[in-house]
Coordinates of all heavy atoms in Angstrom, one line a residue:
M11 N 1.0 5.5 -4.5 CA 1.5 4.5 -5.4 C 1.6 5.1 -6.8 O 2.6 4.8 -7.5 CB 0.6 3.3 -5.4 CG 0.7 2.5 -4.1 SD -0.4 1.1 -3.9 CE 0.2 0.1 -5.2
A12 N 0.7 5.9 -7.2 CA 0.7 6.5 -8.6 C 1.9 7.4 -8.7 O 2.3 7.6 -9.9 CB -0.6 7.2 -8.9
C13 N 2.4 7.9 -7.6 CA 3.6 8.8 -7.7 C 4.8 8.0 -7.6 O 5.9 8.6 -7.5 CB 3.5 9.8 -6.5 SG 2.2 11.0 -6.7
G14 N 4.7 6.7 -7.5 CA 5.9 5.8 -7.5 C 6.6 5.9 -6.1 O 7.8 6.1 -6.1
L15 N 5.8 5.7 -5.1 CA 6.4 5.7 -3.7 C 6.1 4.5 -2.9 O 5.0 3.9 -3.2 CB 5.9 6.9 -2.9 CG 6.2 8.3 -3.5 CD1 5.5 9.4 -2.8 CD2 7.7 8.5 -3.4
P16 N 6.9 4.1 -2.0 CA 6.6 3.0 -1.1 C 5.4 3.4 -0.3 O 5.1 4.6 0.0 CB 7.8 2.8 -0.2 CG 8.9 3.6 -0.9 CD 8.3 4.6 -1.7
V17 N 4.7 2.4 0.3 CA 3.5 2.7 1.0 C 3.6 2.0 2.4 O 4.1 0.9 2.5 CB 2.2 2.1 0.3 CG1 1.0 2.4 1.0 CG2 2.2 2.6 -1.1
I18 N 3.1 2.7 3.4 CA 3.1 2.1 4.8 C 1.6 2.3 5.2 O 1.1 3.4 5.3 CB 4.0 2.8 5.7 CG1 5.5 2.7 5.2 CG2 3.9 2.2 7.1 CD1 6.5 3.4 6.1
V19 N 1.0 1.2 5.5 CA -0.4 1.2 6.0 C -0.6 0.3 7.2 O 0.2 -0.6 7.4 CB -1.4 0.8 4.9 CG1 -1.3 1.8 3.7 CG2 -1.2 -0.6 4.4
T20 N -1.7 0.5 7.9 CA -2.0 -0.4 9.0 C -2.7 -1.6 8.4 O -3.2 -1.6 7.3 CB -2.9 0.2 10.1 OG1 -4.3 0.3 9.6 CG2 -2.4 1.6 10.5
D21 N -2.8 -2.7 9.3 CA -3.5 -3.9 8.8 C -5.0 -3.7 8.8 O -5.8 -4.5 8.4 CB -3.2 -5.0 9.8 CG -3.4 -4.7 11.2 OD1 -3.9 -3.6 11.6 OD2 -3.2 -5.7 12.1
R22 N -5.5 -2.5 9.2 CA -6.9 -2.2 9.1 C -7.3 -1.4 7.8 O -8.4 -1.0 7.6 CB -7.4 -1.4 10.3 CG -7.3 -2.2 11.6 CD -8.0 -1.5 12.7 NE -7.8 -2.2 14.0 CZ -8.2 -1.7 15.1 NH1 -8.8 -0.5 15.2 NH2 -8.1 -2.4 16.2
C23 N -6.3 -1.1 7.0 CA -6.5 -0.3 5.8 C -6.9 -1.3 4.7 O -6.3 -2.4 4.5 CB -5.2 0.4 5.5 SG -5.3 1.5 4.0
G24 N -7.9 -0.9 3.9 CA -8.4 -1.8 2.8 C -7.4 -2.3 1.9 O -7.4 -3.5 1.5
P25 N -6.4 -1.5 1.4 CA -5.5 -2.0 0.4 C -4.4 -3.0 1.0 O -3.6 -3.6 0.3 CB -4.8 -0.8 -0.1 CG -5.7 0.3 0.3 CD -6.4 -0.1 1.5
A26 N -4.4 -3.1 2.3 CA -3.4 -4.0 3.0 C -3.5 -5.4 2.5 O -4.5 -6.0 2.6 CB -3.5 -3.9 4.5
G27 N -2.4 -5.9 1.9 CA -2.4 -7.2 1.3 C -2.9 -7.4 -0.1 O -2.8 -8.4 -0.7
D28 N -3.6 -6.3 -0.5 CA -4.2 -6.3 -1.9 C -3.2 -5.6 -2.8 O -2.4 -6.2 -3.5 CB -5.6 -5.7 -1.8 CG -6.3 -5.6 -3.2 OD1 -5.9 -6.4 -4.1 OD2 -7.2 -4.8 -3.3
I29 N -3.3 -4.3 -2.8 CA -2.4 -3.5 -3.6 C -1.2 -3.0 -2.8 O -0.2 -2.6 -3.4 CB -3.0 -2.3 -4.4 CG1 -3.7 -1.3 -3.4 CG2 -4.0 -2.9 -5.4 CD1 -4.2 -0.1 -4.1
V30 N -1.2 -3.1 -1.5 CA -0.1 -2.8 -0.7 C 0.4 -4.2 -0.2 O -0.3 -4.9 0.6 CB -0.4 -1.9 0.5 CG1 0.9 -1.7 1.4 CG2 -0.9 -0.6 0.0
R31 N 1.6 -4.6 -0.6 CA 2.1 -5.9 -0.3 C 3.4 -5.8 0.5 O 4.4 -5.2 0.1 CB 2.4 -6.6 -1.7 CG 1.2 -6.7 -2.5 CD 1.4 -7.2 -3.9 NE 0.2 -7.1 -4.7 CZ 0.2 -7.2 -6.0 NH1 1.3 -7.3 -6.6 NH2 -1.0 -7.0 -6.6
H32 N 3.3 -6.3 1.7 CA 4.3 -6.1 2.7 C 5.7 -6.7 2.2 O 5.8 -7.8 1.8 CB 3.9 -6.9 4.0 CG 4.9 -6.6 5.1 ND1 4.9 -5.5 5.9 CD2 5.9 -7.4 5.6 CE1 5.9 -5.6 6.8 NE2 6.5 -6.7 6.6
G33 N 6.6 -5.8 2.3 CA 8.0 -6.1 1.9 C 8.2 -6.0 0.4 O 9.4 -6.2 -0.1
E34 N 7.2 -5.8 -0.4 CA 7.3 -5.7 -1.8 C 7.2 -4.2 -2.3 O 8.2 -3.7 -3.0 CB 6.3 -6.5 -2.6 CG 6.4 -8.0 -2.3 CD 5.4 -8.8 -3.1 OE1 4.8 -8.3 -4.0 OE2 5.2 -10.0 -2.7
N35 N 6.1 -3.6 -2.0 CA 6.0 -2.2 -2.4 C 5.7 -1.3 -1.1 O 5.4 -0.1 -1.3 CB 4.9 -2.0 -3.4 CG 3.5 -2.2 -2.9 OD1 3.3 -3.1 -2.1 ND2 2.6 -1.3 -3.3
G36 N 5.9 -1.9 0.0 CA 5.7 -1.1 1.2 C 5.7 -2.0 2.4 O 6.1 -3.2 2.4
F37 N 5.1 -1.5 3.5 CA 5.0 -2.2 4.8 C 3.6 -2.1 5.3 O 2.9 -1.1 5.2 CB 5.9 -1.7 5.8 CG 7.4 -1.9 5.4 CD1 8.2 -0.8 5.1 CD2 8.0 -3.1 5.4 CE1 9.5 -0.9 4.7 CE2 9.3 -3.3 5.0 CZ 10.1 -2.1 4.7
I38 N 3.1 -3.2 6.0 CA 1.9 -3.2 6.7 C 2.2 -3.5 8.1 O 3.0 -4.4 8.4 CB 1.0 -4.4 6.1 CG1 0.7 -4.2 4.6 CG2 -0.3 -4.4 6.9 CD1 0.1 -5.3 3.9
F39 N 1.6 -2.7 9.0 CA 1.9 -2.8 10.4 C 0.6 -2.9 11.2 O -0.4 -2.5 10.7 CB 2.8 -1.7 11.0 CG 2.2 -0.4 11.0 CD1 1.6 0.1 12.2 CD2 2.1 0.4 9.8 CE1 1.0 1.4 12.2 CE2 1.5 1.7 9.8 CZ 1.0 2.2 11.0
G40 N 0.7 -3.5 12.4 CA -0.5 -3.6 13.2 C -1.0 -2.3 13.7 O -0.2 -1.4 14.1
F41 N -2.3 -2.1 13.6 CA -2.9 -0.9 14.0 C -2.5 -0.5 15.5 O -2.5 -1.3 16.4 CB -4.5 -1.0 14.0 CG -5.2 0.2 14.5 CD1 -5.3 1.3 13.7 CD2 -5.7 0.3 15.8 CE1 -6.0 2.5 14.1 CE2 -6.4 1.4 16.2 CZ -6.5 2.5 15.4
G42 N -2.0 0.7 15.6 CA -1.6 1.2 16.9 C -0.2 0.9 17.3 O 0.3 1.3 18.3
D43 N 0.5 0.1 16.5 CA 1.9 -0.3 16.8 C 2.9 0.8 16.3 O 3.4 0.7 15.2 CB 2.2 -1.7 16.2 CG 3.5 -2.2 16.6 OD1 4.4 -1.5 17.2 OD2 3.8 -3.4 16.3
V44 N 3.0 1.8 17.1 CA 3.9 2.9 16.7 C 5.3 2.6 16.5 O 6.1 3.1 15.7 CB 3.7 4.2 17.6 CG1 2.3 4.7 17.5 CG2 4.1 3.8 19.0
D45 N 5.8 1.5 17.3 CA 7.1 1.1 17.2 C 7.4 0.5 15.8 O 8.4 0.7 15.2 CB 7.5 0.1 18.3 CG 7.5 0.8 19.7 OD1 7.8 2.0 19.8 OD2 7.3 0.1 20.7
A46 N 6.4 -0.3 15.3 CA 6.5 -0.9 14.0 C 6.5 0.1 12.9 O 7.3 0.1 12.0 CB 5.4 -1.9 13.8
L47 N 5.7 1.1 13.1 CA 5.6 2.2 12.1 C 7.0 2.9 12.1 O 7.5 3.2 11.0 CB 4.5 3.2 12.5 CG 4.5 4.5 11.7 CD1 4.3 4.3 10.2 CD2 3.4 5.4 12.2
A48 N 7.5 3.3 13.2 CA 8.8 3.9 13.3 C 9.9 3.1 12.6 O 10.8 3.6 11.9 CB 9.2 4.3 14.7
A49 N 9.9 1.8 12.9 CA 10.9 0.9 12.3 C 10.8 0.9 10.8 O 11.8 0.9 10.1 CB 10.7 -0.5 12.9
H50 N 9.6 0.8 10.3 CA 9.4 0.8 8.8 C 9.9 2.1 8.2 O 10.5 2.1 7.2 CB 7.9 0.6 8.4 CG 7.4 -0.8 8.8 ND1 8.2 -2.0 8.7 CD2 6.3 -1.2 9.3 CE1 7.5 -3.0 9.1 NE2 6.3 -2.6 9.5
L51 N 9.6 3.2 8.8 CA 10.0 4.5 8.4 C 11.5 4.6 8.4 O 12.2 5.1 7.4 CB 9.4 5.7 9.2 CG 7.9 5.9 9.0 CD1 7.4 6.9 10.1 CD2 7.7 6.5 7.6
D52 N 12.2 4.1 9.5 CA 13.6 4.1 9.6 C 14.2 3.2 8.5 O 15.2 3.6 7.9 CB 14.0 3.6 11.0 CG 13.8 4.6 12.1 OD1 13.6 5.8 11.8 OD2 13.8 4.1 13.3
T53 N 13.6 2.1 8.2 CA 14.1 1.2 7.2 C 14.1 1.9 5.8 O 15.1 1.8 5.1 CB 13.2 -0.1 7.1 OG1 13.4 -0.8 8.4 CG2 13.7 -1.0 6.0
L54 N 13.0 2.5 5.5 CA 13.0 3.2 4.2 C 13.9 4.4 4.2 O 14.6 4.6 3.1 CB 11.5 3.7 3.9 CG 10.6 2.6 3.6 CD1 9.1 3.1 3.5 CD2 11.0 1.9 2.3
A55 N 14.1 5.1 5.3 CA 15.0 6.3 5.3 C 16.4 5.9 5.1 O 17.2 6.6 4.5 CB 14.8 7.1 6.6
A56 N 16.8 4.7 5.6 CA 18.2 4.2 5.6 C 18.6 3.5 4.4 O 19.8 3.2 4.2 CB 18.4 3.4 6.8
D57 N 17.6 3.1 3.5 CA 17.9 2.2 2.4 C 17.4 2.7 1.1 O 16.3 2.4 0.7 CB 17.4 0.8 2.7 CG 17.9 -0.3 1.8 OD1 18.3 0.1 0.7 OD2 17.8 -1.4 2.2
P58 N 18.2 3.6 0.4 CA 17.8 4.1 -0.9 C 17.4 3.1 -1.9 O 16.5 3.2 -2.7 CB 18.9 5.0 -1.3 CG 19.8 5.2 -0.1 CD 19.5 4.1 0.8
A59 N 18.2 2.0 -1.9 CA 17.9 0.9 -2.9 C 16.6 0.3 -2.7 O 15.8 0.0 -3.6 CB 19.0 -0.1 -2.9
L60 N 16.2 0.0 -1.4 CA 14.9 -0.5 -1.1 C 13.8 0.4 -1.5 O 12.8 0.0 -2.0 CB 14.8 -0.9 0.4 CG 13.5 -1.5 0.9 CD1 13.2 -2.8 0.2 CD2 13.5 -1.6 2.4
R61 N 14.0 1.7 -1.2 CA 13.0 2.7 -1.6 C 12.8 2.7 -3.1 O 11.6 2.7 -3.5 CB 13.4 4.1 -1.1 CG 13.2 4.4 0.3 CD 13.3 5.9 0.6 NE 14.4 6.6 0.0 CZ 15.6 6.7 0.5 NH1 15.9 6.2 1.7 NH2 16.5 7.4 -0.2
A62 N 13.8 2.6 -3.8 CA 13.7 2.6 -5.3 C 13.0 1.4 -5.8 O 12.1 1.5 -6.7 CB 15.1 2.7 -5.9
Q63 N 13.3 0.2 -5.2 CA 12.7 -1.0 -5.6 C 11.2 -1.0 -5.3 O 10.4 -1.4 -6.1 CB 13.4 -2.2 -4.9 CG 12.8 -3.5 -5.1 CD 13.5 -4.6 -4.3 OE1 14.5 -4.4 -3.7 NE2 12.9 -5.8 -4.3
M64 N 10.9 -0.6 -4.0 CA 9.5 -0.5 -3.6 C 8.7 0.5 -4.4 O 7.6 0.3 -4.8 CB 9.4 -0.2 -2.1 CG 9.7 -1.4 -1.3 SD 9.4 -1.0 0.5 CE 9.5 -2.6 1.2
S65 N 9.4 1.6 -4.8 CA 8.7 2.7 -5.6 C 8.4 2.1 -6.9 O 7.2 2.4 -7.4 CB 9.7 3.9 -5.7 OG 9.9 4.5 -4.5
A66 N 9.3 1.4 -7.6 CA 9.0 0.9 -8.9 C 7.9 -0.1 -8.8 O 7.0 -0.2 -9.7 CB 10.3 0.2 -9.5
W67 N 7.9 -1.0 -7.8 CA 6.8 -2.0 -7.7 C 5.5 -1.3 -7.4 O 4.5 -1.8 -7.9 CB 7.2 -3.0 -6.6 CG 6.4 -4.2 -6.6 CD1 5.8 -4.8 -5.5 CD2 6.0 -5.1 -7.7 NE1 5.1 -5.9 -5.9 CE2 5.2 -6.1 -7.2 CE3 6.3 -5.1 -9.1 CZ2 4.7 -7.1 -8.0 CZ3 5.8 -6.1 -9.8 CH2 5.0 -7.1 -9.3
S68 N 5.5 -0.3 -6.6 CA 4.2 0.5 -6.4 C 3.6 1.0 -7.7 O 2.4 0.8 -8.0 CB 4.4 1.7 -5.4 OG 4.4 1.3 -4.1
R69 N 4.5 1.6 -8.5 CA 4.0 2.1 -9.8 C 3.5 1.0 -10.7 O 2.5 1.1 -11.3 CB 5.1 2.9 -10.5 CG 4.6 3.8 -11.6 CD 5.7 4.6 -12.2 NE 6.1 5.7 -11.4 CZ 5.5 6.9 -11.4 NH1 4.5 7.1 -12.1 NH2 6.0 7.9 -10.6
E70 N 4.2 -0.1 -10.6 CA 3.8 -1.3 -11.5 C 2.4 -1.8 -11.0 O 1.5 -2.1 -11.8 CB 4.8 -2.4 -11.4 CG 4.5 -3.7 -12.1 CD 4.5 -3.5 -13.6 OE1 5.2 -2.6 -14.1 OE2 3.8 -4.2 -14.3
I71 N 2.3 -2.0 -9.7 CA 1.0 -2.5 -9.2 C -0.2 -1.6 -9.5 O -1.2 -2.1 -10.0 CB 1.1 -2.8 -7.7 CG1 2.1 -3.9 -7.3 CG2 -0.3 -3.1 -7.1 CD1 2.4 -4.0 -5.9
I72 N 0.0 -0.3 -9.3 CA -1.1 0.6 -9.5 C -1.4 0.8 -10.9 O -2.5 1.3 -11.3 CB -0.8 1.9 -8.7 CG1 -2.1 2.6 -8.4 CG2 0.1 2.8 -9.5 CD1 -3.0 1.9 -7.4
S73 N -0.5 0.5 -11.8 CA -0.7 0.8 -13.3 C -1.9 -0.1 -13.8 O -2.5 0.3 -14.7 CB 0.5 0.5 -14.1 OG 0.8 -0.9 -14.1
G74 N -2.2 -1.2 -13.1 CA -3.3 -2.0 -13.5 C -4.6 -1.7 -12.8 O -5.6 -2.4 -13.0
W75 N -4.6 -0.8 -11.9 CA -5.7 -0.4 -11.1 C -6.5 0.7 -11.7 O -5.9 1.6 -12.3 CB -5.3 0.0 -9.7 CG -6.4 0.2 -8.8 CD1 -7.0 -0.8 -8.0 CD2 -7.2 1.4 -8.5 NE1 -8.1 -0.2 -7.3 CE2 -8.2 1.1 -7.6 CE3 -7.0 2.7 -9.0 CZ2 -9.0 2.1 -7.1 CZ3 -7.9 3.6 -8.6 CH2 -8.9 3.3 -7.6
D76 N -7.8 0.6 -11.7 CA -8.6 1.8 -12.0 C -9.9 1.8 -11.1 O -10.0 0.9 -10.3 CB -9.0 1.7 -13.5 CG -9.8 0.5 -13.9 OD1 -10.3 -0.2 -13.0 OD2 -9.8 0.2 -15.1
Y77 N -10.7 2.7 -11.3 CA -11.9 2.8 -10.4 C -12.8 1.6 -10.6 O -13.4 1.2 -9.6 CB -12.6 4.1 -10.6 CG -11.9 5.3 -10.0 CD1 -11.1 6.2 -10.7 CD2 -11.9 5.4 -8.6 CE1 -10.4 7.2 -10.1 CE2 -11.2 6.4 -8.0 CZ -10.4 7.3 -8.7 OH -9.7 8.3 -8.1
R78 N -12.9 1.1 -11.8 CA -13.7 -0.1 -12.0 C -13.2 -1.3 -11.2 O -14.0 -2.0 -10.5 CB -13.7 -0.5 -13.5 CG -14.6 -1.7 -13.8 CD -14.7 -2.0 -15.2 NE -15.6 -0.9 -15.7 CZ -15.6 -0.5 -17.0 NH1 -14.8 -1.1 -17.9 NH2 -16.3 0.5 -17.4
A79 N -11.9 -1.4 -11.1 CA -11.3 -2.5 -10.3 C -11.6 -2.2 -8.8 O -11.9 -3.2 -8.1 CB -9.8 -2.6 -10.5
G80 N -11.5 -1.0 -8.4 CA -11.8 -0.6 -7.0 C -13.2 -0.9 -6.6 O -13.5 -1.5 -5.6
V81 N -14.2 -0.6 -7.5 CA -15.6 -0.9 -7.3 C -15.8 -2.4 -7.2 O -16.5 -2.9 -6.4 CB -16.5 -0.2 -8.3 CG1 -17.9 -0.7 -8.2 CG2 -16.4 1.3 -8.2
E82 N -15.2 -3.1 -8.1 CA -15.3 -4.5 -8.1 C -14.8 -5.1 -6.8 O -15.4 -6.1 -6.3 CB -14.6 -5.1 -9.3 CG -14.7 -6.6 -9.4 CD -16.1 -7.2 -9.5 OE1 -17.0 -6.5 -10.1 OE2 -16.4 -8.3 -9.1
G83 N -13.7 -4.6 -6.3 CA -13.2 -5.1 -5.1 C -14.1 -4.9 -3.9 O -14.3 -5.8 -3.1
V84 N -14.7 -3.7 -3.8 CA -15.7 -3.4 -2.8 C -16.9 -4.3 -2.9 O -17.4 -4.8 -1.9 CB -16.1 -1.9 -2.8 CG1 -17.2 -1.6 -1.9 CG2 -14.9 -1.0 -2.4
T85 N -17.4 -4.5 -4.1 CA -18.5 -5.4 -4.4 C -18.2 -6.8 -3.9 O -19.1 -7.4 -3.2 CB -18.9 -5.3 -5.9 OG1 -19.2 -4.0 -6.3 CG2 -20.1 -6.2 -6.2
Q86 N -17.1 -7.3 -4.2 CA -16.7 -8.7 -3.8 C -16.6 -8.7 -2.3 O -17.1 -9.7 -1.7 CB -15.4 -9.1 -4.4 CG -15.5 -9.4 -5.9 CD -14.1 -9.7 -6.5 OE1 -13.1 -9.8 -5.8 NE2 -14.1 -9.8 -7.8
A87 N -16.1 -7.7 -1.6 CA -16.0 -7.7 -0.2 C -17.4 -7.7 0.4 O -17.7 -8.4 1.4 CB -15.2 -6.5 0.3
L88 N -18.3 -6.9 -0.1 CA -19.7 -6.9 0.4 C -20.4 -8.2 0.2 O -21.1 -8.7 1.1 CB -20.5 -5.7 -0.3 CG -20.0 -4.3 0.1 CD1 -20.7 -3.3 -0.8 CD2 -20.2 -4.0 1.6
H89 N -20.2 -8.8 -0.9 CA -20.8 -10.2 -1.1 C -20.2 -11.2 -0.1 O -21.0 -12.0 0.4 CB -20.6 -10.6 -2.6 CG -21.4 -9.9 -3.6 ND1 -22.8 -10.0 -3.6 CD2 -21.1 -9.1 -4.6 CE1 -23.3 -9.2 -4.6 NE2 -22.2 -8.7 -5.2
A90 N -18.9 -11.1 0.1 CA -18.3 -12.0 1.1 C -18.9 -11.8 2.5 O -19.1 -12.8 3.2 CB -16.8 -11.8 1.1
I91 N -19.1 -10.6 2.9 CA -19.7 -10.3 4.2 C -21.1 -10.8 4.3 O -21.5 -11.5 5.2 CB -19.7 -8.8 4.5 CG1 -18.2 -8.3 4.7 CG2 -20.5 -8.4 5.7 CD1 -18.0 -6.8 4.7
E92 N -21.9 -10.6 3.2 CA -23.3 -11.1 3.2 C -23.3 -12.6 3.2 O -24.2 -13.2 3.9 CB -24.0 -10.5 2.0 CG -25.5 -10.8 2.0 CD -26.2 -10.1 0.9 OE1 -25.9 -9.0 0.6 OE2 -27.2 -10.7 0.5
A93 N -22.4 -13.2 2.6 CA -22.4 -14.7 2.5 C -22.1 -15.3 3.9 O -22.5 -16.4 4.2 CB -21.3 -15.2 1.5
R94 N -21.4 -14.6 4.8 CA -21.1 -15.1 6.1 C -22.3 -15.0 7.0 O -22.4 -15.6 8.1 CB -20.0 -14.2 6.8 CG -18.7 -14.4 6.1 CD -17.7 -13.6 6.8 NE -16.5 -13.5 6.0 CZ -15.5 -12.6 6.3 NH1 -15.6 -11.9 7.4 NH2 -14.5 -12.6 5.5
R95 N -23.4 -14.3 6.7 CA -24.5 -14.1 7.5 C -25.3 -15.3 7.6 O -25.7 -16.1 7.0 CB -25.4 -12.9 7.1 CG -24.7 -11.6 7.3 CD -25.6 -10.5 6.8 NE -25.1 -9.3 7.3 CZ -25.7 -8.2 7.2 NH1 -26.9 -8.1 6.6 NH2 -25.3 -7.0 7.7

């Protein structure tokens, strides 16, 4: 994202839905769904305008991120897990 590129991640990846936003700056696909991965890659390869739009949005999203925000996100996730116990 810092390089201004679209992102493709699985739904098991931490940034999925957080800093990787399906259809905005990349794609999120179900873990193990190689057909979905291939389709997302094909979509990006075939559409330069979409790549450019997603690239710009990736750079915009990540510009507000820093390690402090990352640590805070992990801390919140851990608190949420503990609260479920």
Side-chain angles (χ1 to χ4, degrees):
M11 291 177 63
C13 293
L15 296 172
V17 183
I18 302 176
V19 298
T20 74
D21 55 358
R22 293 188 185 176
C23 184
D28 181 18
I29 60 173
V30 178
R31 300 171 188 163
H32 186 80
E34 295 181 19
N35 70 319
F37 296 109
I38 301 168
F39 67 98
F41 177 78
D43 188 348
V44 295
D45 292 331
L47 172 59
H50 294 319
L51 289 168
D52 288 344
T53 297
L54 289 173
D57 192 338
L60 179 63
R61 282 195 317 271
Q63 178 184 347
M64 286 185 166
S65 294
W67 192 230
S68 277
R69 194 178 286 275
E70 177 69 25
I71 291 168
I72 204 66
S73 70
W75 186 90
D76 60 18
Y77 285 103
R78 179 173 291 155
V81 169
E82 180 61 29
V84 170
T85 302
Q86 288 175 7
L88 293 172
H89 287 298
I91 291 168
E92 187 169 328
R94 291 184 197 168
R95 292 180 165 187

